[in-house]
Amino acid sequence: MQAKLKNMGHSFAHPPSTKPKKKEKDATTRGISRAQFAFRSKSLYPERLHRQNIAERLIFESKVVFGTARLINQVLVFALFLSALRLSSNEARKRGIFNNLGETFGFDDLRAIHSRSHFVEETLPDLSEKSKSFFPLSSQYFDSGVHGSKLILGDLTVFTQPRPGPEMVLRSTEFSVTAWVRSIPQFAEGYILRKRPITDDEDLTCWGWYLHAQDGPSFIFAGHDHFPTGGDNSEQQIEAKLNFRSPFAPRRYFLLSIVVTETEVSFFQDNLLIGTYHLSRPVTDCFNNGQGVWLGDSGLEIGIVRYFPFKLTNSTLGELMVSGNLLSDIATGSNPSEQVDSELANVGRVITSEVLNIEKGLNRAHENEKLAAVLQQVDYADIEEFLNPGAAKYPNAKVGNNPFDNIERVDSNGREYYRLFEGPEILSETSDADARNMTMWPTFVGTGVTFTFWYRHVECDVASCGMFLFEAIDPGRPEAERKCWNFWIENNAIWYENSVIDEYPRDFVPRNFQIQGGKTWRHIAITLDETTDEFKYYMDGQHAYTGPWRGADNTGRTVRTSDCSGPNRFMTLGRSYPGYTYGLPVGLYDFRMYVHPRDAGNPLTPDEIRTIAQSPSESLDETDKCLRASDPAFFDQEWRDAFGHGCAWYKENRETNPSICRSPLAATNCPIACNTRQECLSTASYDSVFIYDRIRKIEVNSLVSNGTICLGDDEDPVEIIELCRQYVSGTEVNTDSKASQWFRAWRAGRHRSLDFRQCDDLERAIDPFCTYNGTVVKDWTHRVREGGGSYTIAFWIKPQGFGSLINQRFFPTLKFFGSVSPPQHNLNIGLFDNPNGEAQFFTSCGEGQFVMENVELKRADVEGWTFVAVTRSNVSNAVAARVMTNLGSWREGLNYQQCFYNEEKMFRALEFNYAVLISPILLSATMIPISKLQETYYAASGWMPQKTGPEASITEKVEDTGIPVEKKDYSEQSTLVAPPIIFQTIQRPTDQCDYSYSESFINLTHSRMRSLKCRSPFDCDSELLRDPSLVLSCPGKRQEEGMFFGQAPEDFGAIGYSDLLYSVTDNGFLWRNGELVQTAEFISSNTGTVDIIFVFYTPKYGITSVLSLMVDFTDPAGAKSDVMLQHYEVVEGSQLSVYLFVQIIVLVSIAIMVFDIVVNVKYLIASWSVDEVELTTKVGEAVKQLMDISIAVMVIVYIIIRIPTQLSSADDTRNIVGRLAEIPWADTTMSSDEKTESFFGLTRELLDLIDNEKRLNSFCNVVLVLSLLRLIKCTSMHPRLALLEGTVTKAWDDLWHAALLIVMLMGVFAGIATWRFGSEREDFSDFERSMQTQFEMTFGEFPDDWSSTRDLQVYTVFYFMLVFLLVQN
């Protein structure tokens, strides 16, 4: 029997033992034995045992026992292996990721892409937009609102005039603006982008980007807060431009950029710096009531205008050109927020602008009505009498030869002179017959001469009028020297001439001192200085000009030899000789000739000429002469006409309507506004300085509502506060008599004031951003002290809302502190005792007593600007002060000279108590006359209303530099690690096709194109004319070299071209290979396949996922698309430990399995030669062992490969995904090419890692299937478990033939369906798809429209009857 068992090939079926049984068995053992016999007889082998079946029973028991052990081990291997897989791969989590991404992107829709146009126009933009929601740092979740990066203008737009744009507010101290710009050849100049303040002056600009065709770009700003401190009032804004010409080439697109910081403006063309302008002050924004910006100008094409609240560099500008956005934004799925307003909003702005224009027109019409009313009141007879005093009573000057009376007279200086002409007379026109000449005047041969006279010019309708006042003629001289000398005079110039010299000096005195026609008599003196051979010219007793009398190298006559000496000499008066030429009817009076003492070298001195000019005139009233600036008659008065108009109104309207100033009352009360009085020439200097350079917005500190302190830039706030604490802690705080002056003023003030004894409040009140130039104050104070203590302080000030008012009135409040601790101010301006406020002067001269004197202010404007000037004379015998408010002023004689508390600096700190706009503060070391201050007022009053001031103070801006960002909740579980990649393969176009006629057809089409579309006057590209494949083509070989869209070939499983998806979808064009390329052409007719790759990471699961959309455009049936989601999971920590433990147990089980295999293989080899065993049994046993060996080897190989990958999974993720996330996209020192190359390289590494994971999973899948089959085979150890295995074994022959029949029939039907319906139906588009459809029909899933056509009905019914009914049954 043992031999028989061995022959059966059961290695574990050993014969029963032949040893005798023990006779001694206790009751327990007997009970157990009976139970075993019962189980074995009833369950394992239910047949009754007898002598014939005892061997089968023993064999069966052996098979069950060892088969059970083998089954348990196989189940253990399978279960533990699956457990290890479960530990290393959480399918529920992956399914969650799949569902999340599938729901967002619509995997079913992506798999249903059928056309190139649908993919390009709908799928790509949709994918791009949806994917951005997976960036946790996207601008969707970090919203910076209207103050962040903005897209101001989208697509390229041709401008014929400026257009309204969206509202913009500058919040950052640095910003950049970029725009694609192209101009036409006719373009001259215009704005690219401009923000205007709310003013009537359309030329003013808050800030604007300007382009000049020849000079290049410039930046214009500060129209709202610029204050011309250089003396040129025409400079109402600042233009930052290049110091060289940079012509802008037409017909070509450029990326123009402007980068503005606190200190400079940089101009870029493309990504190249073309120049930098250094700013003297920061750029501020203005409030324009939501009117937005204006874009473009005639002759410009502009597009993609972006604003960034930070500084761009060459590198980032290159990213904008090549990638269409900053790589740092692309890497986070961010875009500048689109601020392109709707058409309705733009129409609203246009309507608002037109309404404002209508209001301006109505205001102008109203002003014209006022002008007409004033002009109707003018009495022209009185006007003429007033404007030309004495003109009507002066007879015309005599004509003909007027012999000189030769009478010597003596003036108040004791100088002798001759009166050539008395007058006053008007030099009327003469003719040759009655030419006005003077004969036989005293000659000054051998000496020099001085001519003095009173002169009044004519009204001039042009810029300047002139005439020859006199010429000296000597007929006895040669023709070339006949004119001995002459003198010409005009509004802004003189001209003198002799035989050598021909001098014509112009504008040698300021415009306000030049001769003005028909208004005022001016005293003129001309000296020919024999001691220096110079020509000297005096006006109003002041020296005005000195010029040479002899030529270069001392050629020509000297002064002593210049005069005419012949007996027939004569002097023309009011004309040029001969005849009447170059003459004007000017007024002349008291024409004197001072012949200098011969051989004495004693010309008239400047003091003597000044005395002559200031001496009373018998026939001229003092009102007919010019006035000194300090003369009260030269001040404009606080007068109003019958219509309520003051001098400022007359000044504003005089230039366009000069007739309004012909009113005697207006001319008398407004001599400056109406320009009816002439200021005498003065050499007095009113030099002034400003302590800062622009209009400032002063905000009251929110922590200390009583005021704001501004310190000089040379003051240390820490030191100031430390001194305060020392002072307050000392005893002098209660005994300091000088500080008590501050205390009394502080207590008496009727406005808010800071308590300088509260050091904490003082510290909070110091505004570090309203500093002024302390060095200027120090130098000015030094000049004031050197000049005796006189000074002038002036400024413009404007309230900021109701918070700046006291009882609905505005009182300018400003205090000048010479010392902070102890508090000692030299000047206070505010509301104290006087109802309109006052200026208080304090002095440190009075020891031990309170010395304060004040001068009242006039009423200040509640809404507009108010001009305030404080001017003080500190001369001991004329101590006085005058305070000017707009045009009005008060003057007070004072009792005390002012001594500053701080002799080094008149003020170390300024205290503001209310929110105001304030101009730069003017400081002068002289007491400027009121007339000059009124001129200053008028010079600025026209444009100060246009100055709306900065939208935010520097303090507000600096405190608000952190642009507020609203963080929105990020609800997605997965995040994009890097921007998506779009990869395509390209088929080269060719006119060589597989079909001969196709080539002929392509060439025919190309010929027709040349004759129909490219004939004159149309001109096509030369490449298009040459290459037929550019019109129509067949697909050629795959392009694997060369550049495409500015990119080199990349390897992403195939050779093709990659780009950033957002660069293609978010931009209409990009700059590649030195030209603009349309992104719509990225996916072209030459595109073969497209892959879009998204790399996700799910932090809470540690899973890296790669989503790929694959679209094939080469399929004859149309585009084919598929979606694939692959994962790479991190295993670490306790999960990794358990995983390793389970795999070790699997290896132990495999070791047991290997032991079993070894035993069985040995027995199989030993029994192979036994003839009693059938060959099929041997082969079956060999196959079974071979399967066991394969499973064991494959499991061991998988575990050996898998464990290291799981051990390194965390490091691999950190290495690749971490480096992807850490690419320095914002690094300006790294080129965009380096960033993208690094990104593409890391992406390829990740794809390789996931491909390895995919291959391992495929290998593991084979192992599991084999293990499953082996597990099923192991169930044959018992008849009841061997149902499946036994059924398959017994029915194998029938199953094989049935399967063969079914496959054959379905193949035939699939071939028929593909041929008949594949051209129209997707479900039968190819053989494979037809087989899938028929497989579904096997389960009753027939096409919904199976009855739509007769052929489809026949096919479906026939398939149903033959396959579905007959074959299956």
Side-chain angles (χ1 to χ4, degrees), residues 281-554:
R281 47 153 295 183
V283 175
T284 60
D285 201 2
C286 69
F287 173 76
N288 68 350
N289 200 25
Q291 289 301 301
V293 297
W294 288 84
L295 292 163
D297 216 326
S298 176
L300 290 177
E301 183 181 3
I302 305 174
I304 318 297
V305 181
R306 292 186 179 99
Y307 162 82
F308 300 91
F310 47 82
K311 178 180 178 180
L312 296 179
T313 64
N314 304 65
S315 175
T316 50
L317 290 173
E319 294 172 7
L320 287 177
M321 294 179 63
V322 175
S323 302
N325 200 354
L326 301 180
L327 288 178
S328 57
D329 282 345
I330 292 178
T332 57
S334 301
N335 274 329
S337 62
E338 191 167 354
Q339 294 292 313
V340 181
D341 283 358
S342 65
E343 190 66 26
L344 182 62
N346 286 332
V347 170
R349 288 200 173 95
V350 172
I351 293 175
T352 302
S353 177
E354 291 301 322
V355 169
L356 292 175
N357 289 334
I358 292 173
E359 290 180 353
K360 292 176 184 176
L362 292 174
N363 290 335
R364 283 195 295 269
H366 186 54
E367 287 298 319
N368 290 336
E369 291 177 1
K370 293 180 181 180
L371 289 169
V374 171
L375 291 174
Q376 289 177 0
Q377 299 295 318
V378 175
D379 186 339
Y380 287 96
D382 291 342
I383 294 170
E384 190 66 24
E385 175 68 20
F386 177 80
L387 289 181
N388 298 288
K393 65 185 180 183
Y394 294 162
N396 290 340
K398 296 176 182 180
V399 297
N401 293 323
N402 299 288
F404 172 64
D405 62 11
N406 206 24
I407 301 174
E408 289 189 355
R409 294 174 174 83
V410 179
D411 65 11
S412 57
N413 293 314
R415 287 275 194 168
E416 295 179 350
Y417 68 93
Y418 301 96
R419 177 173 285 168
L420 303 183
F421 186 91
E422 183 174 6
E425 300 283 1
I426 295 177
L427 302 182
S428 60
E429 184 177 344
T430 65
S431 65
D432 287 338
D434 57 1
R436 183 189 302 110
N437 299 324
M438 289 186 293
T439 59
M440 301 305 295
W441 75 87
T443 180
F444 59 89
V445 172
T447 185
V449 67
T450 296
F451 296 98
T452 70
F453 50 90
W454 288 93
Y455 176 84
R456 189 174 68 177
H457 206 52
V458 296
E459 289 282 1
C460 189
D461 295 331
V462 293
S464 183
C465 301
M467 52 90 69
F468 277 106
L469 188 59
F470 46 78
E471 290 183 340
I473 310 297
D474 189 348
R477 285 191 177 185
E479 181 68 27
E481 298 183 0
R482 185 165 296 173
K483 289 185 179 181
C484 303
W485 43 264
N486 57 25
F487 175 72
W488 165 285
I489 189 169
E490 62 180 283
N491 301 61
N492 61 341
I494 58 174
W495 180 20
Y496 65 94
E497 182 181 16
N498 59 36
S499 59
V500 176
I501 286 296
D502 184 4
E503 292 290 324
Y504 185 39
R506 301 175 62 86
D507 297 317
F508 48 85
V509 294
R511 182 177 178 82
N512 60 309
F513 295 123
Q514 293 174 4
I515 293 175
Q516 300 180 23
K519 184 194 314 183
T520 306
W521 289 92
R522 307 291 297 276
H523 188 269
I524 306 296
I526 301 170
T527 296
L528 303 183
D529 191 337
E530 70 276 17
T531 62
T532 60
D533 283 328
E534 289 178 327
F535 172 93
K536 297 180 180 179
Y537 180 72
Y538 296 82
M539 297 175 62
D540 308 321
Q542 298 291 332
H543 177 260
Y545 173 78
T546 294
W549 187 252
R550 305 186 68 187
D553 300 325
N554 292 324

Side-chain angles (χ1 to χ4, degrees), residues 165-176:
E167 183 178 2
M168 285 189 62
V169 179
L170 301 180
R171 273 288 181 264
S172 175
T173 56
E174 297 183 347
F175 64 91
S176 307

Side-chain angles (χ1 to χ4, degrees), residues 957-979:
K957 194 170 182 180
V958 171
E959 291 177 350
D960 207 20
T961 50
I963 295 174
V965 176
E966 180 186 357
K967 172 65 174 73
K968 298 180 181 179
D969 183 50
Y970 181 77
S971 58
E972 305 291 350
Q973 63 178 359
S974 300
T975 67
L976 270 171
V977 178

